[in-house]
Amino acid sequence: MSAQIPAVRSTEQLREKWMKPEVITGSEILLRSLVLEGVECVFGYPGGAVLYIYDALYGFNDFHHLLTRHEQGAIHAADGYARASGKVGVCIATSGPGATNTVTGIATAFMDSVPLVVITGNVVSSLIGTDAFQEADITGITMPITKHSYLVRSVEELPRVIHEAFHIANTGRKGPVLIDIPKDVSANKTLFQPVQSIDLRGYNPKVVPNHHQLEKVAAAIKEAERPVILAGGGVVYSGGHEELLEFVTRTEIPITTTLLGLGAFPSGNPLWMGMPGMHGTYTANQAIQKSDLLINIGARFDDRVTGRLDGFAPHAKVVHIDIDPAEIGKNVNTEIPVVGDVKTVLELLNPLVSRSDKADAWRGQISQWLADKPYKYKDSDTELKPQWVIELLNDTTKGEAIITTDVGQHQMWTAQYYKFNHPRSWITSGGLGTMGFGFPSAIGAQMARPDRLVISINGDGGMQMCAQELAICAIHNIPVKVVVINNQVLGMVRQWQELIYENRYSYIDLAGSPDFVKLAEAYGVKGLRATNKEEAKQVWQEAMDTPGPVLVEFVVSKEENVYPMVTQGSTIDQMLMGDCE
Amino acid sequence: MTTTMTSHTIAVLVNDQPGVLQRVSGLFGRRGFNIESITVGQSEEEGLSRMVIVTQGDDKTLEQIEKQLYKLIDVIKVVNLSSKPMVARELALIKVKSEPAERPEIMGVVETFRAAVVDIGTNSMIVQVVGDTEKIDAMIELLHPYGIRELSRTGVTAMIRGNA
């Protein structure tokens, strides 16, 4: 099960090849610098302003370049690549419309702290500011959604800028960095000497925490009767999942992981309470609300987690561990702030902590809730239930696949019913909630991890936002299993309209959607469909047995809702339990 | 932490890069922080500029402003000037209507405020006044009855007193 794309040579060989000082064009400097930064795969789309770069790419085989069918596909693929690998994702787009087509993807990566380097072309320097053909002020447009950005003024500064961009993207709180390169800069020549050092005076992320703060955390754990850990995406990004497991094993504190934190902690562990928040478990939400110590590890207290802020964790002393000091105290008042890299913090904290008997009754209460109030749905023998489909995928893959999702009901059902055991196995747009993300991000994930089974789970709405990228799967034989959970409506919108807008179903009917099987076949991808359990088991097995890409459409019931649910304006223990009752 | 809204003066040392003012002012705008005035100019070090920003907010907002500013790669240092004894100055140029007969009267006001007349036209003059914001407000109020044709204020620049 590997992508049919020739292997790229090792970075070591390439370094030797490309380190020689030489007079070359800006475009060649860009390509060499990317190689020297360890880039293996770039997703892009050519156009006028990047033609020198694409000319340099002609016959250049030292990293892969995938031509997507839309810049949105390219940037989501780069995002999926970054999330699956932990490396920086790279995307190239031309000026103006090419650049603006990446905006949604940049914002997606920014909200979820994903390291990307986005390279856009711009019109020649002399035309900047004249409203020239295909000109857009992309650095200005993306300023609020990038960690940093560069408009390169001369070819001489290009090596430094690229080197800095990679450093900024993948250190501290990670994020997207944009490099806008005017056409003349990519054409001009200079002596290229690889940059060896970085001097960014204003940028020194604090990795090692204050020891005094760690002692305070340890003391608070010793005293707590109802402690809870809330772990987020920061655990995955710092690579601190093993340290987290050790922390929980030592302290035996019940743990809940946020949407982006799924996979940071093994789901089979008896102390894991599931996900908190709007569609979280009864146990996780009750535990947070009743806790006397809430230890936030690399999560940002998003409103989908906290519900109504003034009633959130009302009895808890809050510990917040985060590499970004601005997150501490932003939404929730924090008694013990710990600024540092999650992995480093936990490494230093673990020797200081131990199990406290004071929380024994609490552990009993948590187990009781977990037993009494699991996720539940009413199964059916006549129609396919989406939750059952996710359980089927979970059972057949034993939770070992890399899953990417789009946004909506299927995303929440996957978060609820697929049991993640490894970090970087769960790729979803959490912060921005970007429809169209699910499928192209799977292409990137598969490029990053050709050894893993990658399944992309989409709704019928989101699938139609980037379906054109099926072409990439077909021509490169990228073996992504594309799942479409088809309920023929915009399901999450339908759910809100039912529960909050008194069944006024305004513009959610997706009638007119293509036949997804034929759509797949039109692109040269195998397409399969299931409308009942028997067919579902059969076609899913067929998909798993098929070596290349496959699209599987599961036609599911239309009226199904995601439960539990916390409606906006409620505290997280005020849950609509629905079928979970 | 108190929740009283007070005026804060913040000095931000930044890399002298194109777009840095946009980054800083954009940050204030999109995060809902208020800007009363913002001034930018060279600092004591080549390649670095100093921005002085006057903003309104409670302590929590001020803390967020400082932390969010530090997230910008081009921001080197953020100092809350108003937490310490500081000198804050603003400059205003006021073009005031003045028929020849009114001039002595206006000059009287200008001298009392230790301001200066920097231009005289046939029926107007430009007054330059330097001082803290209150002094400039008072000057404008006194000149108002004569008729202000044009007014240009620089916004506040400031420094901590002494060796700090």
Side-chain angles (χ1 to χ4, degrees):
Chain A
M1 179 147 318
S2 71
Q4 301 301 303
I5 287 183
V8 167
R9 276 172 296 170
S10 83
T11 315
E12 271 320 298
Q13 289 170 312
L14 293 171
R15 285 186 78 80
E16 214 164 290
K17 178 177 166 192
W18 290 131
M19 287 293 276
K20 297 187 295 279
E22 228 177 317
V23 176
I24 50 174
T25 66
S27 299
E28 289 167 307
I29 289 174
L30 172 67
L31 303 192
R32 289 190 191 188
S33 299
L34 292 182
V35 170
L36 295 175
E37 291 294 341
V39 169
E40 291 170 345
C41 188
V42 168
F43 304 87
Y45 204 106
V50 287
L51 280 183
Y52 286 106
I53 297 172
Y54 274 85
D55 187 56
L57 268 169
Y58 188 78
F60 187 89
N61 291 320
D62 289 340
F63 54 71
H64 300 303
H65 174 281
L66 288 198
L67 170 66
T68 57
R69 293 301 183 259
H70 192 297
E71 286 88 354
Q72 188 180 359
I75 191 144
H76 291 327
D79 184 315
Y81 179 92
R83 294 192 207 218
S85 66
K87 298 177 189 168
V88 178
V90 181
C91 168
I92 302 177
T94 190
S95 66
T100 55
N101 276 346
T102 66
V103 167
T104 303
I106 296 173
T108 305
F110 183 71
M111 289 288 272
D112 289 347
S113 308
V114 177
L116 293 186
V117 167
V118 183
I119 294 149
T120 51
N122 211 329
V123 298
V124 290
S125 302
S126 58
L127 286 181
I128 286 182
T130 65
D131 304 322
F133 176 67
Q134 290 194 333
E135 185 194 355
D137 172 17
I138 195 65
T139 47
I141 290 169
T142 57
M143 225 168 242
I145 50 167
T146 48
K147 185 170 173 186
H148 192 54
S149 53
Y150 295 92
L151 169 56
V152 184
R153 302 276 159 174
S154 72
V155 66
E156 286 77 23
E157 63 186 59
L158 201 49
R160 174 185 62 79
V161 163
I162 297 165
H163 199 44
E164 283 180 8
F166 274 83
H167 176 69
I168 291 168
N170 210 18
T171 51
R173 180 176 182 171
K174 301 170 188 208
V177 178
L178 179 115
I179 307 176
D180 196 24
I181 306 177
K183 194 169 181 178
D184 51 315
V185 172
S186 65
N188 290 346
K189 286 186 175 181
T190 191
L191 176 68
F192 171 58
Q193 285 178 303
V195 181
Q196 305 291 352
S197 63
I198 281 182
D199 178 26
L200 285 167
R201 219 171 124 185
Y203 180 70
N204 301 297
K206 186 169 154 56
V207 173
V208 182
N210 181 320
H211 193 76
H212 185 57
Q213 294 301 96
L214 299 182
E215 285 170 352
K216 281 194 200 167
V217 177
I221 290 172
K222 204 173 271 180
E223 290 310 311
E225 291 176 4
R226 299 183 308 282
V228 164
I229 295 165
L230 169 70
V235 179
V236 178
Y237 299 149
S238 76
H241 53 281
E242 282 172 12
E243 288 75 10
L244 177 67
L245 180 60
E246 189 189 334
F247 181 66
V248 177
T249 308
R250 276 171 177 271
T251 58
E252 290 185 28
I253 297 176
I255 173 170
T256 171
T257 48
T258 67
L259 184 70
L260 286 190
L262 293 176
F265 192 79
S267 62
N269 190 300
L271 287 161
W272 187 62
M273 300 184 286
M275 183 173 76
M278 184 173 272
H279 297 294
T281 62
Y282 178 87
T283 309
N285 285 357
Q286 290 296 332
I288 288 172
Q289 289 303 84
K290 299 206 164 36
S291 67
D292 65 352
L293 176 68
L294 180 60
I295 306 170
N296 176 336
I297 307 177
R300 62 186 176 86
F301 288 124
D302 178 68
D303 55 275
R304 285 292 190 269
V305 165
T306 62
R308 206 179 83 211
L309 259 182
D310 59 8
F312 176 73
H315 316 292
K317 176 185 258 191
V318 175
V319 173
H320 193 164
I321 300 167
D322 207 303
I323 194 146
D324 180 357
E327 283 307 330
I328 297 173
K330 187 183 83 177
N331 298 334
V332 171
N333 283 335
T334 301
E335 277 81 7
I336 310 177
V338 182
V339 178
D341 167 68
V342 163
K343 184 182 166 78
T344 313
V345 169
L346 291 178
E347 267 170 2
L348 296 169
L349 184 59
N350 277 335
L352 308 180
V353 296
S354 57
R355 186 188 190 281
S356 160
D357 295 340
K358 285 188 179 175
D360 277 349
W362 178 239
R363 292 181 186 103
Q365 170 72 79
I366 300 285
S367 314
Q368 193 63 48
W369 279 331
L370 281 171
D372 291 350
K373 304 271 188 183
Y375 288 130
K376 266 196 284 193
Y377 64 95
K378 287 198 185 77
D379 203 3
S380 160
D381 286 328
T382 52
E383 54 180 3
L384 268 181
K385 289 292 182 114
Q387 299 94 329
W388 183 90
V389 173
I390 306 297
E391 285 182 330
L392 171 72
L393 305 188
N394 185 59
D395 292 346
T396 49
T397 59
K398 306 277 179 285
E400 292 294 311
I402 292 179
I403 303 283
T404 81
T405 75
D406 214 73
V407 170
Q409 286 184 318
H410 70 276
Q411 177 191 33
M412 290 300 121
W413 284 317
T414 308
Q416 291 178 335
Y417 290 92
Y418 198 91
K419 302 300 172 208
F420 295 93
N421 294 313
H422 309 289
R424 303 198 179 281
S425 293
W426 164 243
I427 293 171
T428 199
S429 165
L432 197 68
T434 307
M435 283 178 75
F437 173 85
F439 171 45
S441 66
I443 295 173
Q446 186 76 82
M447 288 305 290
R449 299 298 306 272
D451 55 318
R452 294 279 299 271
L453 169 64
V454 177
I455 303 173
S456 171
I457 303 176
N458 303 270
D460 43 330
M463 187 64 208
Q464 292 181 64
M465 288 199 178
C466 275
Q468 71 284 351
E469 306 306 340
L470 282 166
I472 310 306
C473 291
I475 56 174
H476 298 294
N477 197 25
I478 296 172
V480 171
K481 308 303 172 203
V482 186
V483 170
V484 179
I485 306 279
N486 187 353
N487 60 358
Q488 299 140 64
V489 290
L490 289 172
M492 191 59 96
V493 180
R494 187 199 167 282
Q495 175 165 346
W496 281 53
Q497 288 177 345
E498 178 188 327
L499 299 175
I500 302 161
Y501 296 89
E502 299 167 341
N503 297 337
R504 290 158 60 85
Y505 296 120
S506 183
Y507 296 98
I508 49 159
D509 191 341
L510 288 175
S513 294
D515 178 327
F516 286 102
V517 172
K518 283 188 182 163
L519 179 73
E521 284 166 356
Y523 278 107
V525 170
K526 183 171 189 168
L528 299 166
R529 177 180 296 122
T531 55
N532 60 46
K533 283 184 177 177
E534 262 329 293
E535 282 175 7
K537 285 182 201 162
Q538 206 182 328
V539 298
W540 182 242
Q541 192 54 51
E542 192 180 341
M544 298 286 282
D545 293 341
T546 305
V550 184
L551 182 147
V552 188
E553 179 191 11
F554 294 98
V555 180
V556 300
S557 60
K558 197 171 177 177
E559 286 80 26
E560 202 63 24
N561 284 340
V562 182
Y563 287 115
M565 179 180 183
V566 177
T567 53
Q568 227 146 16
S570 304
T571 55
I572 53 169
D573 48 354
Q574 299 170 332
M575 310 171 78
L576 304 177
M577 293 303 287
D579 297 341
C580 295
E581 203 62 76
Chain B
M1 285 232 181
T2 62
T3 52
T4 4
M5 297 281 279
T6 41
S7 200
H8 302 279
T9 308
I10 304 160
V12 189
L13 198 63
V14 297
N15 282 324
D16 190 7
Q17 290 287 329
V20 70
L21 177 61
Q22 190 186 349
R23 283 183 205 281
V24 171
S25 57
L27 172 81
F28 273 71
R30 73 175 171 274
R31 295 214 177 253
F33 305 142
N34 154 281
I35 297 181
E36 273 180 24
S37 86
I38 184 166
T39 64
V40 196
Q42 280 183 349
S43 73
E44 65 282 359
E45 195 177 325
E46 204 178 321
L48 300 185
S49 297
R50 181 168 278 106
M51 294 184 185
V52 175
I53 302 167
V54 182
T55 182
Q56 279 263 339
D58 57 18
D59 289 352
K60 196 174 151 68
T61 309
L62 181 72
E63 187 187 325
Q64 265 299 308
I65 290 174
E66 285 187 36
K67 285 175 167 176
Q68 294 292 343
L69 281 170
Y70 268 121
K71 284 177 72 168
L72 299 179
I73 308 292
D74 282 329
V75 168
I76 310 287
K77 200 174 176 192
V78 182
V79 182
N80 177 10
L81 299 174
S82 42
S83 67
K84 304 192 177 81
M86 62 162 184
V87 181
R89 291 290 181 268
E90 191 178 350
L91 182 146
L93 293 175
I94 308 161
K95 188 178 278 179
V96 60
K97 274 192 218 159
S98 58
E99 297 305 328
E102 291 170 321
R103 276 184 203 160
E105 209 178 306
I106 295 174
M107 299 288 259
V109 176
V110 168
E111 274 165 30
T112 316
F113 274 77
R114 295 189 190 173
V117 172
V118 292
D119 180 65
I120 298 181
T122 48
N123 55 3
S124 74
M125 56 206 275
I126 298 177
V127 175
Q128 169 192 297
V129 57
V130 177
D132 57 26
T133 302
E134 290 74 24
K135 176 177 168 178
I136 292 174
D137 289 345
M139 180 93 227
I140 292 166
E141 203 182 321
L142 282 173
L143 292 180
H144 206 74
Y146 301 99
I148 293 176
R149 289 186 153 182
E150 207 177 319
L151 171 66
S152 183
R153 294 173 73 150
T154 58
V156 173
T157 191
M159 244 179 219
I160 295 171
R161 289 181 184 277
N163 295 328

